[in-house]
Amino acid sequence: MTLREHLRRMARNNLWSNDRLYRAVLALQPGEFEAKRTSFFPSIKETLNHIIAVDRLYLDFLTDGGLGTAAYGTFVPFDDVASLAAAQADFDRKLMAFCDGLSEADLDRRVITDRREDGMIPERIGDILAHVFLHDIHHRGQVHAMLSGTSVQPPQLDEFLLDYDIKLRKAEVERLGLDDQISGTS
């Protein structure tokens, strides 16, 4: 498997993991989404809003979208889970499309990341994507832990589109439209 193929699978797994997490968050009782909790960000709401804000920032860097840090600085947090879940799913599909459009050579190409007072720093596309996926996994784990203190059981998040997982979760994979796309990435 090439790095490009791995990143394409990571993008698909990101969609799947976010979908599983958001289905759990959508089942929370009133007040649990916003409730103060112990974590890096003090609530599930703030943590999930942070994930999508940073996702948007890095996709803007990757696509030379022209917003720079404004992609993060002008982000208006979502107050309700349904809108946030829809926005994250939309982003995840954009990230999948971006990864699908990359060549192996693109992964070493550098794009400018605006680090505000630290300046404009060129970074490799492959490294940025690895960072985005790691960032999302890290904060999904925090939300997963926070769900343990709610009325909703945390979902299984450590599956990685293995043949066994795909077979086990066939309905989910098909609902997300990933069944046809996975075979093309291996």
Side-chain angles (χ1 to χ4, degrees), residues 80-101:
D80 68 288
V81 180
S83 297
L84 183 53
Q88 185 66 60
D90 180 61
F91 171 83
D92 291 342
R93 294 205 181 274
K94 287 177 183 171
L95 185 59
M96 282 172 44
F98 177 80
C99 289
D100 288 350

Side-chain angles (χ1 to χ4, degrees), residues 32-129:
E32 290 183 315
F33 177 59
E34 318 67 19
K36 186 172 179 165
R37 304 194 184 276
T38 301
S39 194
F40 188 81
F41 292 96
S43 70
I44 293 170
K45 174 185 173 181
E46 288 182 59
T47 304
L48 292 174
N49 271 286
H50 170 73
I51 292 170
I52 193 165
V54 171
D55 283 351
R56 287 177 170 178
L57 172 69
Y58 278 102
L59 189 60
D60 185 74
F61 291 158
L62 289 165
T63 61
D64 194 23
L67 293 176
T69 56
Y72 188 83
T74 62
F75 176 74
V76 177
F78 292 85
D79 288 325
D80 68 288
V81 180
S83 297
L84 183 53
Q88 185 66 60
D90 180 61
F91 171 83
D92 291 342
R93 294 205 181 274
K94 287 177 183 171
L95 185 59
M96 282 172 44
F98 177 80
C99 289
D100 288 350
L102 293 172
S103 68
E104 282 292 328
D106 287 330
L107 299 178
D108 283 330
R109 187 168 45 89
R110 291 182 179 268
V111 295
I112 300 299
T113 61
D114 184 348
R115 300 303 182 165
R116 298 181 185 161
E117 61 275 353
D118 292 329
M120 307 299 261
I121 311 295
E123 299 282 2
R124 286 182 189 86
I125 288 175
D127 292 342
I128 291 172
L129 287 169

